Every structure is written in C-alpha cells, then in structure tokens.
Amino acid sequence: MNRPTPLLVVGDALLDHDLTGRAERLAPDAPVPVVSDTRLVARPGGAALAAYLAAVEGRNVTLITALGDDESSSTLRRLLKGRVRLVELPLSGELPCKTRIMAQGRALLRLDDGEGRASAATDEARSAVAAARGILVADYGRGTADVLREALVGAAARVPVVWDPHPRGGPPVRGVRLATPSAAEARAFARNGRAAADTPHTSADDPGRELRSAAADALALVRSWGVTSVAVTLGERGALLSHGEAPLLVPTPWQAEGDACGAGDCFAATAAGLLADDVLPETAVQGAVRAATQYVANGGARALVIEEASAPPEQTGSEQAAGGSDVAARVRATGGTVVAAGGCFDLLHAGHVALLQAARRTGDCLIVCVNSDASVRRRKGSGRPLVPAADRVRVLRALECVDAVVVFDEDTPERLLRELRPHIWVKGGDYALGQLPEAALVESWGGQVMLLPYLDGRSTTELAERAALAPGAANANLRK
C-alpha cells in the first residue's frame, strides 16, 4: 500500500523538560509554593517536536536543525533516534532548553537556558531541501531558516511548503503554500506591514473582534508575504484560512481541555503532511484543526511518553504501528482507557461508523486495527478488498471518533495487540467470544473483550450486491 508522503522539517530544535510534582504548602521563608515528589521528563521541542509528531503519524520524516556537542543536543539526538532522520547544521552556543515546573497539572514557572543558533548551511542540508516532496519550516527565530533561505525559495516554487513563523524570525519566503501564525503573531506581523489607520477598529465589548481582526491580518499577510494562503490559529476556536478573499473559519470539532503546549506544532506538522499528500489547503487545515484538538484532549505535551531508542524500530507490515503505540502510551500515562477495534472496513458504511462511535465512548482513545489487502484476500476471497488499504486508512482517519489507524498483515491481530495492549478490544456483534482467537490474549493482561452490535441491514456484501444492480433495481431493493 502507499505510505504517506515523506516530510522534511526545517527549523530550530529545542529540548523541553517538565519537572512535575505536588505543591501542597508554601515555603516557610517566602510566600512561594514548595514542589515535592518531583519527576523530570525530557521531550523534543520546537521543530524537533513537530518532526516527532509527524513521525508518530507514520511519516518518513527528516529534520534539518542545528545541534552541537552540549548535553542537551546529545539528549535530543537520543530522543529522536530511530524515529526521525537528522541532518545536522553547526550550532553556535548551546541548544536552547526550556524547563516547566509543574504542580497538579499547572505550570508554576519556566526556566530557559541556552541561546544557541544555527551558524551555517551545509551541502547535505541544501540537497535535502532540493529533494524534498513536502516541507515544514518550523521557525523559532534561531537561524535555521535564515541560513537555508535561498534553498527554501527554490523549494517553494516546486513543492508544498508550510511555514510556521516566529516573531524573532524572518517572514516566509514568497510562494509558500500555507503560513500558520497564531492570532497574536499574525497581529504583530500585520502591524509591522501596514499603517495604523489600516488596522480594523475593535472594541472591548465586541464579541467578533478576534475573528474580524484575524481575517484582516490574514488578508494583509497574504498580500505582503506573497504566500498562497494564511491559516491563523485561534486556540480553542479553531483556525481561520484566507487566500486573500473571504476567509474560511474551521472550528474545533469539540472543546478540548488540557495542556495546549505544542498544539501549534501539531497543527503545522499535520497541515504540512496533508499538503504533501496533495490535498487542498481547506482539507489540510480541517485535518490540522482536528489533530491539534485531539492532541490537547490527549494531554498535550505532558502526555508524550518518549522512550530513548537504542536502535531504529523494526520495520513490519503494520502501517503506522508506531503511531498507534504512541497514542496508547500517551493515554495510558495519564490513567486513561485504551480502546482498540479491528476489522477489514471495506466499503465503510453506517454500521461501521456506529460501531466505532460506540467503541470510542467506552474509553479515552480509539485505535483501529485494519486488515491489509493481502489479509483481506485470504479471508474474503480474490475479489476483495473492494477498496485498497491506503484508501480505507484515509477514510477511517477522517472520522472524529478515531485517534489512530494501524494496518496488520496477518490473518488475526494478535501480534499488533501485544504491542498496543488495549484495555478494551471491540468487535462487531456478529462474532461470539468463542470465535475470537485473540480473546484469551487480551484477557491475559487484564483486558476486556467487548462485542457491540452492528446496525441491522448494513454490510459490505449487501452494498456491493446493490451497487452491481441496475439503478432501478437497486432503488427497488432499498424500498423493500
């Protein structure tokens, strides 16, 4: 099956730390909270986080960034090993490191160390930009985009480029397919590019001021930057997409409560990947809003569980297995319930959707395990599947209730279930527990097998049979 288009991320990597603990009293010598029982967790930050999130979704990701010989750079290399291919630029100074001190899920303080910057481009980096099929520029104002700017100008004329700008960095190069500033960033960039008299008037009691301001800012930036489109991210309100005409508001699919740190990176990485897959900007922004919302709902940056890899992960026939495992790990780390469901999902119909929606309501994430084309043929015969696995995955991932999709090549999903270890394994009600060879496996780690009913009269076989009939006969059959 076709894998997602490889993605090149160009930008400034950071190392992020969360020092988490409990704060239940004030210090006796000053009115400040005492944080006890602390635990320090490291994770990729900046462009490295965007690259990691794209890789989690099953993409082949290369990251061009500046790294040095300091301890933070070494830690980041270990965190990305086996997940993201690195093309390193020379770093002047130490890698920037940001540490949040957290208690009861809330940030009390942030400590910033390191002011390192990219000092030069390399031939390897220029060649990677020239060969890329889709690019995300995650500019954190520390020089990586600047030293590769000439190469990025050429790339923007050839392939989809998404540019996530930063107030400390330069503007996107002309021809960028999509720029993704936050509302505050768009406001600052737009003010720098136009007179105060051109700034739309808003009042404190105007409920629509944010949207009108974002629309005006996006329009100004499309014109001044020379980019195809601008998507202004609006946090819990979604994003506003402008091509220079009437904007499109893409609201969040639901209200997500959680740690929003890194949601902008998730948005930009998802949009860049989808544009590389040759979808329309409107579709890419819709997918990016949904992905960022799900990221926050899953716990955001605090929920990322990243184990340092000693070697690249084994390549198997399971498409996007790493993505499913990471979703499961994030939810499990926050005490949530991991739900998995399996099947062929050939010709996705209302019965499938009802089953998956019901499955998602039983827990905190839903990972769908899908039979590969070869597996379906062995089970259903040479005429199946009617829809190839790449298309089945794409449709399933578009469902709001689905958090990850993984393809397995075997006849049954036991190997995949051992990796995911779901709390609940869901199958359609046309099975009985005695017919499920994976039931004993799920129960071996305390998991629960759950059967959910299909809607009556919905099946892939019936749909295929009706589609083969003449239109009049098919309609008559539906009225029976």
Side-chain angles (χ1 to χ4, degrees):
M1 62 180 289
N2 295 326
R3 295 183 64 87
T5 305
L7 182 67
L8 176 68
V9 179
V10 178
D12 309 300
L14 314 173
L15 180 65
D16 287 348
H17 285 117
D18 277 351
L19 183 65
T20 61
R22 296 183 295 109
E24 299 172 342
R25 61 189 177 92
L26 296 178
D29 55 343
V32 295
V34 175
V35 182
S36 58
D37 296 332
T38 58
R39 182 171 68 99
L40 185 66
V41 176
R43 64 174 182 276
L49 176 59
Y52 175 84
L53 293 174
V56 162
E57 292 303 313
R59 290 189 185 274
N60 184 342
V61 179
T62 299
L63 171 63
I64 300 178
T65 195
L67 295 174
D69 297 327
D70 55 286
E71 183 179 349
S72 294
S73 293
S74 298
T75 298
L76 186 60
R77 288 188 186 95
R78 292 195 300 269
L79 291 173
L80 296 178
K81 185 177 181 181
R83 298 178 174 91
V84 174
R85 174 179 172 255
L86 285 172
V87 175
E88 297 188 18
L89 304 179
L91 179 71
S92 175
E94 294 188 354
L95 186 74
C97 179
K98 301 181 182 300
T99 302
R100 297 190 303 174
I101 300 177
M102 312 280 294
Q104 281 83 29
R106 297 182 180 275
L108 303 179
L109 186 68
R110 198 181 90 177
L111 308 175
D112 288 3
D113 295 302
E115 292 294 333
R117 293 181 58 85
S119 58
T122 65
D123 289 341
E124 183 185 10
R126 295 188 189 95
S127 297
V129 172
R133 295 164 58 188
I135 299 175
L136 167 63
V137 179
D139 185 7
Y140 275 75
R142 298 184 182 273
T144 301
D146 297 334
V147 300
L148 285 167
R149 194 168 186 86
E150 183 177 349
L152 292 169
V153 169
R158 182 179 54 83
V159 298
V161 175
V162 172
W163 197 294
D164 193 12
H166 190 281
R168 295 171 56 178
V173 300
R174 299 187 73 82
V176 158
R177 188 75 57 87
L178 178 69
T180 61
S182 68
E185 290 166 346
R187 175 103 294 233
F189 289 128
R191 280 177 174 169
N192 289 337
R194 68 182 180 216
D198 295 328
T199 302
H201 172 72
T202 61
S203 63
D205 58 354
D206 184 352
R209 65 188 183 278
E210 182 184 22
L211 293 179
R212 290 203 300 279
S213 177
D217 295 338
L219 172 61
L221 295 177
V222 168
R223 292 172 175 173
S224 65
W225 282 345
V227 300
T228 302
S229 54
V230 171
V232 179
T233 55
L234 304 171
E236 63 183 15
R237 299 189 70 173
L240 186 141
L241 173 66
S242 174
H243 303 297
E245 300 175 351
L248 171 70
L249 177 63
V250 180
T252 56
W254 66 88
Q255 291 299 311
E257 300 290 338
D259 184 2
C261 177
D265 298 297
C266 179
F267 178 93
T270 302
L274 291 172
L275 286 176
D277 289 340
D278 203 28
V279 307
L280 294 173
E282 290 79 3
T283 304
V285 171
Q286 289 171 3
V289 167
R290 183 187 182 280
T293 304
Q294 187 64 63
Y295 171 85
V296 174
N298 286 345
R302 286 191 299 113
L304 292 180
V305 178
I306 305 173
E307 298 179 358
E308 296 181 10
S310 57
E314 180 183 357
Q315 297 296 313
T316 70
S318 297
E319 185 70 20
Q320 302 168 338
S325 297
D326 281 340
V327 169
R330 288 200 304 267
V331 172
R332 191 175 284 110
T334 58
T337 298
V338 177
V339 182
C344 300
F345 299 102
D346 200 7
L347 282 184
L348 191 73
H349 54 70
H352 292 138
V353 174
L355 172 76
L356 296 174
Q357 289 173 331
R360 180 61 174 80
R361 289 193 293 268
T362 67
D364 300 291
C365 72
L366 175 60
I367 302 168
V368 181
C369 305
V370 179
N371 295 77
S372 70
D373 292 345
S375 177
V376 174
R377 281 192 292 272
R378 290 194 298 270
R379 292 187 57 195
K380 304 286 187 177
S382 59
R384 300 282 294 274
L386 301 171
V387 177
D391 291 346
R392 289 184 279 134
V393 168
R394 190 165 187 171
V395 172
L396 284 165
R397 291 182 65 193
L399 296 179
E400 181 179 315
C401 58
V402 175
D403 298 286
V405 182
V406 185
V407 177
F408 62 94
D409 292 315
E410 300 83 7
D411 292 340
T412 58
E414 281 113 323
R415 180 192 56 77
L416 184 55
L417 288 174
R418 288 189 182 93
E419 296 178 20
L420 300 174
R421 296 177 67 86
H423 299 97
I424 298 175
W425 171 241
V426 171
K427 292 292 289 185
D430 53 350
Y431 285 88
L433 285 179
Q435 298 174 323
L436 289 175
E438 62 267 27
L441 175 66
V442 173
E443 292 168 355
S444 70
W445 57 73
Q448 174 68 54
V449 177
M450 186 174 296
L451 302 180
L452 294 176
Y454 275 134
L455 294 178
D456 290 340
R458 277 82 168 182
S459 76
T460 297
T461 301
E462 290 178 0
L463 283 175
E465 289 174 349
R466 287 204 297 267
L469 297 174
N475 291 335
N477 195 34
L478 282 173
R479 290 193 293 267
K480 290 181 180 179

